[in-house]
Amino acid sequence: MKDFLSPELSNQQQWQLVKQHLEYASRKSPFYQRLFKAKNIQVSTIKTEADFRRIPITTKEHLQRQNLDFLAVDYTEIIDHVTTSGTLGNPVNFMLNEADLQRLTYNEYESFMIAGVTKNDVVQITTTLDRRFMAGMAYYLGLRKLGAGIVRTGSGLPGLQWDSIQRFKSKYLVAVPSFLLKLIDFAQQNAIDYRSSSVKGVICIGESLLNEKLEDSALRKRIKDLWDVELFSTYASTEMATAFTECELHKGNHILPNLIYTEILDENGNPVENGEAGELVVTPLQVESMPLIRYATGDMVMRIEEKCICGRTSGRIGPVLGRKKQMLKIKGTSLYPQHIQEAMNTLGISDYIIEAKNDEFGNDQVCIKISEGIGLNLVQVQNKLRDQLQIKLEIQQLSASILLQKKFPKESRKPVIFHDLRSI
């Protein structure tokens, strides 16, 4: 296993890793070789963060259109081929060699350590390990390095999940938070004493568990009211190959500065102040196969710089407030789909999707479509949402079967709650 530096780095040590990364990309990556030449950028002259920001942003569109130009090793070195989830478009190919797999292993090892998982614990992975999904494999590799027991159940199948928990005494789950509500519902319907189960914590993926005030989200509160397990939020993406994880204090996700250099930027490309939100731009460090420099994630997050009481000195990020491209402007009010989801979670409604369209004048229109089978008074729901969001949204009912198809399309690895039909 490759030896990685401890995540507790000084700024000077991290900057050395950044410079090594720039030098590597300038020698090995066809994409960055062309970019640096076109912009007359000499890596040796980049000595400060201000110098670093002279390098143009890399976007997902660059990765899609010039995919193989990002490859910095011989194609025959690639061991694992994965793709992004395709939330905002077609999935993007991503490739890892042996060194990258070792880096991915170490990343998840550190992530599980932050959440308090030890080699004595049994961890049940309730996400897919196939379907070109990097994260499922990363969890498995990280837990192997940690030495923990592993149960690979895959996604869905509440009955199998509970049977596995009871058989193997799983202490932690890796799961999408909203899936826990389905586990609870299944347990209640099948007389399973879930509150007395072996599960004590859940490493949560895909959904934020904090709100903008760094307080528990409605989803976290709803789960905790039903099942007193500790929920740890994580944030990651295929392109980053790095996880940001909550510690036991649950006040933001810790950055691993030995694996990733982060910037949180305003609309003008300038760093935001502590406590402010901006777009997360990342430079994953110590990557060999497809190195990225100043990659725009499209995710709007909050910058948290003060030292965490847990003792870790690295910065943190707040919850994902929304995708930059998914921002909605309705009658002068700006919001993200996550704001609507938080409001729906507050109302205890799970069976819905959000659709955004343009009206005849090109303005944003939003319609929330709720399952017919849950017997809600739509006017009451509309009024309660208006009280929370300060705007009135259209609400329609949809048959349970059609809603299920829209929310869980066959080609998607995760639920699709927001459907953006606007011509942006």
Side-chain angles (χ1 to χ4, degrees), residues 29-36 38 57-72 91-95 289-292:
S29 168
F31 176 85
Y32 288 110
Q33 286 175 339
R34 283 201 309 272
L35 178 67
F36 291 166
I57 295 289
T58 298
T59 67
K60 182 162 286 190
E61 287 72 23
H62 289 133
L63 269 175
Q64 288 173 327
R65 295 172 186 165
Q66 304 173 62
N67 191 254
L68 286 177
D69 288 343
F70 283 88
L71 189 61
V92 176
N93 297 349
F94 221 78
M95 294 162 265
S289 298
M290 294 183 75
L292 296 175

Side-chain angles (χ1 to χ4, degrees), residues 270-290:
N270 299 315
V272 301
E273 297 295 328
N274 181 39
E276 293 183 353
E279 182 179 12
L280 180 65
V281 174
V282 297
T283 301
L285 304 172
Q286 306 187 67
V287 171
E288 291 191 4
S289 298
M290 294 183 75

Side-chain angles (χ1 to χ4, degrees), residues 30-257:
F31 176 85
Y32 288 110
Q33 286 175 339
R34 283 201 309 272
L35 178 67
F36 291 166
K37 184 176 181 180
K39 300 297 181 180
N40 194 27
I41 294 172
Q42 301 292 326
V43 169
S44 60
T45 66
I46 298 174
K47 300 182 183 298
T48 66
E49 292 183 355
D51 294 337
F52 186 71
R53 288 197 294 275
R54 291 193 288 109
I55 300 173
I57 295 289
T58 298
T59 67
K60 182 162 286 190
E61 287 72 23
H62 289 133
L63 269 175
Q64 288 173 327
R65 295 172 186 165
Q66 304 173 62
N67 191 254
L68 286 177
D69 288 343
F70 283 88
L71 189 61
V73 299
D74 190 277
Y75 192 77
T76 58
E77 282 190 35
I78 300 304
I79 293 175
D80 204 73
H81 296 262
V82 297
T83 59
T84 61
S85 62
T87 302
L88 294 179
N90 292 327
V92 176
N93 297 349
F94 221 78
M95 294 162 265
L96 300 91
N97 68 0
E98 177 61 32
D100 295 329
L101 285 173
Q102 290 179 10
R103 178 191 175 282
L104 190 68
T105 299
Y106 170 80
N107 158 74
E108 287 300 335
Y109 164 82
E110 287 289 350
S111 179
F112 283 117
M113 292 274 284
I114 290 172
V117 181
T118 73
K119 66 178 182 179
N120 298 322
D121 299 324
V122 176
V123 183
Q124 188 162 314
I125 305 175
T126 76
T127 62
T128 182
L129 271 71
D130 54 12
R131 299 176 70 181
R132 308 187 310 216
F133 187 44
M134 176 192 279
M137 175 183 64
Y139 304 138
Y140 179 73
L141 292 174
L143 289 168
R144 280 202 66 188
K145 178 174 174 57
L146 186 61
I150 307 169
V151 184
R152 295 177 290 109
T153 54
S155 58
L157 305 173
L160 177 65
Q161 305 295 350
W162 280 115
D163 179 75
S164 301
I165 290 167
Q166 292 166 336
R167 283 176 182 269
F168 306 116
K169 308 303 179 190
S170 306
K171 184 175 179 180
Y172 290 93
L173 306 179
V174 177
V176 175
S178 54
F179 180 62
L180 298 178
L181 295 173
K182 295 186 182 298
L183 286 182
I184 293 168
D185 183 61
F186 183 92
Q188 291 172 337
Q189 292 184 26
N190 291 272
I192 296 172
D193 185 9
Y194 64 93
R195 290 190 179 91
S196 300
S197 74
S198 58
V199 177
K200 303 303 178 187
V202 184
I203 314 302
C204 295
I205 66 171
E207 294 170 334
S208 293
L209 295 175
L210 291 178
N211 60 25
E212 295 171 67
K213 298 179 181 178
L214 297 185
E215 298 169 343
D216 287 350
S217 69
L219 179 59
R220 179 181 245 149
K221 289 177 181 177
R222 189 174 167 198
I223 294 168
K224 292 280 289 180
D225 285 345
L226 294 167
W227 193 9
D228 188 22
V229 291
E230 192 165 10
L231 307 177
F232 294 90
S233 174
T234 66
Y235 164 76
S237 73
T238 301
E239 300 96 318
M240 294 190 295
T242 312
F244 299 68
T245 306
E246 269 188 342
C247 69
E248 68 276 12
L249 297 172
H250 309 291
K251 291 297 181 182
N253 293 30
H254 285 273
I255 299 169
L256 296 176

Side-chain angles (χ1 to χ4, degrees), residues 384-402:
K384 289 179 180 179
L385 285 176
R386 183 182 59 196
D387 291 341
Q388 292 192 54
L389 300 171
Q390 307 305 311
I391 53 173
K392 186 176 181 180
L393 299 177
E394 181 183 359
I395 298 180
Q396 296 177 3
Q397 287 193 308
L398 203 61
S399 74
S401 59
I402 294 177

